[in-house]
Amino acid sequence: MDRKNVWETYDAGQLEELESHAAGYREFLDRGKTERECIDYIVNTVEEAGYRELQTLIRENRALRKGDKVYAVWRNKSVILFRIGERPLEEGMNILGAHIDSPRLDIKQNPLYEEGGFAYLDTHYYGGVKKYQWVTLPLAIHGVVVRKDGTTVEISVGDNEEDPVFFISDLLVHLAAEQLEKKASKVIEGEALDVIVGSKPLVLGREGQEAEEKKEPGKEAVKKGILTILKEAYDIEEEDFISAELEVVPAGRAREAGFDRSMILAYGQDDRVCAFSSLQAMLEVEESERTACCILVDKEEIGSVGATGMKSRFFENMAAEVMSLTGDYSELKLRRCLAASCMLSSDVSSAFDPSYASSFDKKNVAYMGKGLVLNKFTGARGKSGSNDADAEYLAHLRAIFEKERVHFQTAELGRVDLGGGGTIAYILARYGMEVIDSGVAVMNMHAPWEAVSKADVYEAKRGYAAFLKHA
């Protein structure tokens, strides 16, 4: 089955709406390079749209009624939105689920050291990455440092034009004969992904300098200079790294790509492209028969584990709280609600890359510019670790998308036996609900800079909104 390139189908009004959606998406990417930053953006956005904090309503024991909009944040890294529908929650919800974490480098708890005249921060990579892609790039540091007294310092360095940037060095090609003989997985080792953050020794006699340092200015003088800067700029000590969450990400803004400006090149599009489109669909949805729900979670890139991952009870607990505030909660009704729900597990798919055509099944791969992608299953090789949506649910979604003229395509991640990947779909499917993976085709997935088609981002939002309205 051949799908038309959706750019050929748009009228002037749709193109204007597409560009507006793409501009908002680029802003989201620029303002949300970490999970915490994404949560700040989302909370500010939904509060402006009339959403109220669920915990506040719980404390005030306020009842929820049809049309009410509520949100709940968990540990500043996951969020869930509800738009209460006309039918009882026991009859199920229409759920969108995406993740807001992305592959990156995390700074370790004892990171700062000096070697050969450079100050470094030691890192541990997060998620599946090709390590060699992260060297010689301008990098930024985003995150928080929490002092012993509980006060929090937010850090964001490298993305404003006046900011310095950081980098990881690589061996010059003139001396790299042995390095180039290594397998790609070994060309750059994980422990070599240490970020250079300075090279200037602490200046002798600098104001506030300890007497001991004046006597021995050359001993770890570069490291001492960095610590002095951190103290002056953020009032933090070296020991404060113990209670810090600092993420190293590519420096730079999301950009339009191509002479025709048809694409977006940016960091973190897996899976913030689906998170943003899901958020926008929730903001657009009018009062509906079934309650609309959007879950945006952390830790998908490392198995959806931990208190803020999809495997936690956060979603289940918040659904129970919402049912309670509607005055219709019981454990049995909660189980019925979850089993009767329908979900789009909104996650990206691999885009066909003609430069590596042999890695794909051309008949069953997603193409950029051909709309929302439905992945009946993910997993690896013999569908291991996969949710596998049933035919009845696929037929139901086909009918919705065709009714709303949403452009969609079906795909698998790549050639059978070549590799694979997973999403949060199988976790929600454990409740018995209908779940399928649906998202945007991404080129360069998990690289520091990923590419998507503006048209696919637009169709994803349209598809998610149609699902919330009709499913």
Side-chain angles (χ1 to χ4, degrees):
M1 293 179 292
D2 188 30
R3 300 284 183 180
K4 182 178 287 189
N5 191 305
V6 299
W7 287 101
E8 302 173 20
T9 70
Y10 294 141
D11 59 28
Q14 288 174 309
L15 288 172
E16 183 178 353
E17 185 178 338
L18 178 154
E19 292 294 348
S20 176
H21 183 65
Y25 172 51
R26 294 196 304 276
E27 180 187 2
F28 173 66
L29 290 172
D30 292 339
R31 290 174 55 183
K33 285 200 166 183
T34 69
E35 304 90 334
R36 291 174 183 265
E37 290 173 350
C38 287
I39 293 298
D40 287 343
Y41 177 97
I42 291 164
V43 168
N44 290 334
T45 300
V46 299
E47 286 187 341
E48 288 180 5
Y51 277 75
R52 296 177 294 171
E53 187 180 21
L54 181 58
Q55 293 300 328
T56 300
L57 301 182
I58 292 170
R59 288 193 298 269
E60 297 174 355
N61 196 29
R62 290 194 185 181
L64 288 176
R65 297 179 176 86
K66 174 187 172 183
D68 284 345
K69 299 178 289 187
V70 297
Y71 76 91
V73 172
W74 191 241
R75 302 192 185 280
N76 297 315
K77 294 183 181 179
S78 294
V79 64
I80 186 167
L81 314 174
F82 295 93
R83 176 75 181 256
I84 307 302
E86 183 176 347
R87 289 158 57 178
L89 278 163
E90 182 181 356
E91 297 182 22
M93 299 181 285
N94 296 339
I95 303 170
L96 299 173
H99 66 91
I100 53 176
D101 61 315
S102 295
R104 60 176 187 265
L105 307 179
D106 284 339
I107 292 175
K108 294 183 179 180
Q109 268 60 65
N110 185 24
L112 185 60
Y113 69 96
E114 180 177 337
E115 183 68 38
F118 294 99
Y120 291 88
L121 288 175
D122 198 358
T123 73
H124 191 134
Y125 62 91
Y126 173 97
V129 300
K130 292 180 176 179
K131 297 184 286 291
Y132 63 80
Q133 293 180 329
W134 286 79
V135 299
T136 72
L137 296 175
L139 300 171
I141 298 175
H142 291 245
V144 297
V145 177
V146 183
R147 304 187 189 94
K148 286 186 293 185
D149 63 4
T151 56
T152 298
V153 181
E154 295 185 2
I155 293 179
S156 176
V157 184
D159 275 310
N160 293 322
E161 288 188 6
E162 64 274 14
D163 286 350
V165 295
F166 312 97
F167 68 99
I168 300 167
S169 64
D170 192 13
L171 184 62
L172 65 161
V173 69
H174 310 73
L175 302 179
E178 292 182 359
Q179 181 193 44
L180 294 175
E181 294 297 320
K182 295 180 180 180
K183 293 171 59 177
S185 61
K186 298 291 185 180
V187 169
I188 301 293
E189 301 278 3
E191 289 292 353
L193 292 174
D194 290 356
V195 180
I196 293 176
V197 296
S199 64
K200 184 170 68 175
L202 184 68
V203 179
L204 187 66
R206 183 170 178 164
E207 184 179 352
Q209 194 173 341
E210 297 293 335
E212 182 181 347
E213 292 173 349
K214 291 180 182 179
K215 294 177 183 177
E216 297 184 275
K219 185 178 180 180
E220 292 193 320
V222 177
K223 175 182 174 180
K224 290 174 181 177
I226 298 302
L227 287 172
T228 300
I229 292 169
L230 293 177
K231 180 65 175 177
E232 292 176 351
Y234 305 107
D235 193 24
I236 58 176
E237 311 282 352
E238 182 175 10
E239 192 172 275
D240 290 325
F241 281 113
I242 293 172
S243 51
E245 290 180 1
L246 297 172
E247 301 179 9
V248 180
V249 298
R253 302 175 68 83
R255 301 290 296 273
E256 294 175 303
F259 282 118
D260 55 7
R261 299 177 181 266
S262 61
M263 297 169 285
I264 294 172
L265 188 71
Y267 164 70
Q269 300 200 73
D270 176 9
D271 185 35
R272 291 170 188 148
V273 63
C274 295
F276 179 77
S277 298
S278 297
L279 171 65
Q280 293 303 308
M282 280 292 292
L283 296 176
E284 286 185 13
V285 68
E286 302 294 338
E287 294 183 10
S288 56
E289 288 192 12
R290 300 213 324 169
T291 293
C293 173
C294 178
I295 315 164
L296 304 175
V297 293
D298 181 25
K299 296 295 188 289
E300 191 275 344
E301 296 294 359
I302 58 170
S304 297
V305 295
T308 54
M310 196 66 242
K311 289 181 180 177
S312 75
R313 294 291 182 88
F314 168 57
F315 162 63
E316 186 178 328
N317 292 344
M318 294 305 101
E321 295 284 8
V322 168
M323 290 189 78
S324 178
L325 291 183
T326 64
D328 195 29
Y329 170 78
S330 73
E331 182 67 15
L332 179 58
K333 288 183 177 181
L334 174 62
R335 298 297 159 193
R336 288 173 177 167
C337 168
L338 298 176
S341 294
C342 296
M343 181 187 184
L344 295 184
S345 175
S346 307
D347 208 340
V348 298
S349 190
S350 57
F352 177 70
D353 187 340
S355 298
Y356 303 95
S358 63
S359 296
F360 305 95
D361 172 4
K362 292 183 181 180
K363 303 184 302 301
N364 292 284
V365 65
Y367 289 86
M368 287 176 64
K370 295 197 174 183
L372 176 67
V373 184
L374 297 181
N375 291 89
K376 186 178 188 297
F377 54 85
T378 52
R381 288 168 285 278
K383 299 187 180 181
S384 175
S386 173
N387 169 68
D388 198 342
D390 59 46
E392 291 85 353
Y393 189 41
L394 275 161
H396 177 58
L397 294 174
R398 285 176 60 198
I400 291 173
F401 295 152
E402 289 175 11
K403 179 178 181 179
E404 295 292 329
R405 297 184 179 181
V406 174
H407 297 275
F408 72 95
Q409 55 185 317
T410 60
E412 297 179 14
L413 188 63
R415 262 180 40 219
V416 178
D417 283 341
L418 195 62
T423 68
I424 65 172
Y426 76 98
I427 303 169
L428 279 298
R430 293 185 303 179
Y431 294 113
M433 69 176 69
E434 296 275 24
V435 184
I436 191 171
D437 285 293
S438 67
V440 174
V442 175
M443 186 176 283
N444 310 339
M445 192 189 299
H446 280 215
W449 295 95
E450 300 168 314
V452 300
S453 167
K454 289 180 180 177
D456 295 335
V457 182
Y458 177 59
E459 290 300 321
K461 186 265 294 183
R462 293 185 66 242
Y464 297 160
F467 167 80
L468 294 176
K469 179 180 177 182
H470 294 293

